[in-house]
Amino acid sequence: MQIKTRGIILHTLKYSENSVIVTIYTSEFGRTPYMVYGANKKKSKFRSAFFQPLSLLELDVYHTPGKDIQTIKDLRISHTLSDISYHPIKNPLALFISEVLFRVLKQTEPDENLFNFLESSILALDCCEEGLANFHLVFMMKLCRYLGFEPNGEDDKKRYFDLLNGIFTAYQPQHAHFLNPEATIDFGRIMQADYINMKSIPFTRNQRIKLLESLIEYYKLHVADFHGLNSLAVLHALFD
């Protein structure tokens, strides 16, 4: 059946000389792979610009329940992202965020709240002028809520953060997955941050690296097969 849906580009894989498989997080079907024919032809209506990481689209798709790869009939840009594709910081951030989403969004059921959060975050990244160095940290922290493992911030004055159980604790946990008091303070600051006030958090490069490592460890503990982020090295170099 033919259905209209909104979508966010997560990943593109070359399938043949003139076709690609595009993984899109859609408002109607969750994560869905689509075969796009003629994507690399000069006169194709499916221009490569449509399939940049985090592009926001309106789609007309043929959806057959149970089929592994669906088909796109037509598509349009729903929101023009004026900065992300060309900005020297926003573009690597978009690559990193799209890779994180490709690793964690595995469900094929729709989630309107999650989709709206992702769409608003992408638009915030495109418009952001200050605090970019903290954007990916705030994004990953906020995403935890929609993935079902939001840290419990009720006791955020306690000395340690237990990554395994997602809680602050007064005593050092009896396992290896915890943050020391200094890292716990920074973790709590990111928990309280948003895309507006993140510009006022003056982390050093080493603090950001430690925070990102902590968030990645937190994801690994709570998301199956979350590993091998290819864009991580680029991100570290970006803020060196």
Side-chain angles (χ1 to χ4, degrees), residues 92-111:
L93 284 175
L95 291 172
F96 175 77
I97 290 170
S98 65
E99 186 177 8
V100 169
L101 294 176
F102 183 71
R103 302 291 184 193
V104 302
L105 299 182
K106 302 176 183 179
Q107 67 271 31
T108 56
E109 295 79 23
D111 185 330

Side-chain angles (χ1 to χ4, degrees), residues 2-171:
Q2 184 177 332
I3 295 179
K4 294 183 183 295
T5 185
R6 294 179 293 157
I8 300 168
I9 298 294
L10 303 183
H11 185 264
T12 302
L13 176 67
K14 184 176 181 180
Y15 181 76
S16 68
E17 191 63 30
N18 291 305
S19 60
V20 295
I21 297 175
V22 184
T23 303
I24 304 177
Y25 188 73
T26 68
S27 58
E28 293 292 328
F29 310 109
R31 172 179 169 145
T32 309
Y34 291 93
M35 181 68 74
V36 180
Y37 297 102
N40 297 318
K41 292 183 178 180
K42 290 184 178 180
K43 296 183 179 180
S44 174
K45 63 180 178 180
F46 300 123
R47 302 191 307 274
S48 60
F50 290 141
F51 306 121
Q52 297 301 308
L54 303 186
S55 289
L56 300 172
L57 306 175
E58 292 180 355
L59 304 141
D60 294 323
V61 302
Y62 296 113
H63 189 85
T64 303
K67 188 177 180 181
D68 290 336
I69 301 178
Q70 307 291 341
T71 306
I72 298 175
K73 178 181 183 292
D74 198 9
L75 56 80
R76 301 160 294 286
I77 297 290
S78 62
H79 298 279
T80 300
L81 303 178
S82 58
D83 244 14
I84 287 179
S85 296
Y86 310 103
H87 195 281
I89 296 177
K90 294 180 184 181
N91 184 254
L93 284 175
L95 291 172
F96 175 77
I97 290 170
S98 65
E99 186 177 8
V100 169
L101 294 176
F102 183 71
R103 302 291 184 193
V104 302
L105 299 182
K106 302 176 183 179
Q107 67 271 31
T108 56
E109 295 79 23
D111 185 330
E112 183 179 359
N113 290 332
L114 172 57
F115 186 92
N116 290 337
F117 161 71
L118 296 178
E119 185 178 66
S120 63
S121 294
I122 293 165
L123 293 173
L125 175 59
D126 193 54
C127 297
C128 183
E129 296 182 357
E130 297 181 273
L132 278 172
N134 292 332
F135 188 94
H136 57 301
L137 304 173
V138 175
F139 173 82
M140 288 186 72
M141 185 65 78
K142 288 182 172 296
L143 181 60
C144 294
R145 174 184 179 185
Y146 299 90
L147 299 178
F149 54 92
E150 181 181 16
N152 187 330
E154 292 181 359
D155 299 313
D156 61 353
K157 302 304 181 185
K158 293 185 177 179
R159 287 172 53 81
Y160 299 92
F161 184 76
D162 183 334
L163 293 165
L164 186 62
N165 295 296
I167 59 173
F168 291 88
T169 176
Y171 303 100

Side-chain angles (χ1 to χ4, degrees), residues 172-237:
Q172 181 174 311
Q174 299 301 304
H175 55 74
H177 306 292
F178 67 91
L179 302 182
N180 64 31
E182 293 79 11
T184 295
I185 291 172
D186 292 340
F187 198 83
R189 293 175 77 186
I190 284 295
M191 285 181 62
Q192 300 299 322
D194 55 37
Y195 299 138
I196 302 297
N197 66 22
M198 65 183 180
K199 64 185 178 183
S200 64
I201 308 177
F203 289 131
T204 66
R205 177 180 181 273
N206 287 336
Q207 284 176 302
R208 289 193 183 94
I209 289 176
K210 177 59 180 176
L211 271 169
L212 183 55
E213 290 174 347
S214 301
L215 282 164
I216 288 174
E217 183 179 358
Y218 190 55
Y219 272 61
K220 286 180 178 178
L221 290 168
H222 297 277
V223 179
D225 300 321
F226 183 81
H227 54 76
L229 292 172
N230 298 321
S231 57
L232 187 57
V234 176
L235 206 61
H236 283 326

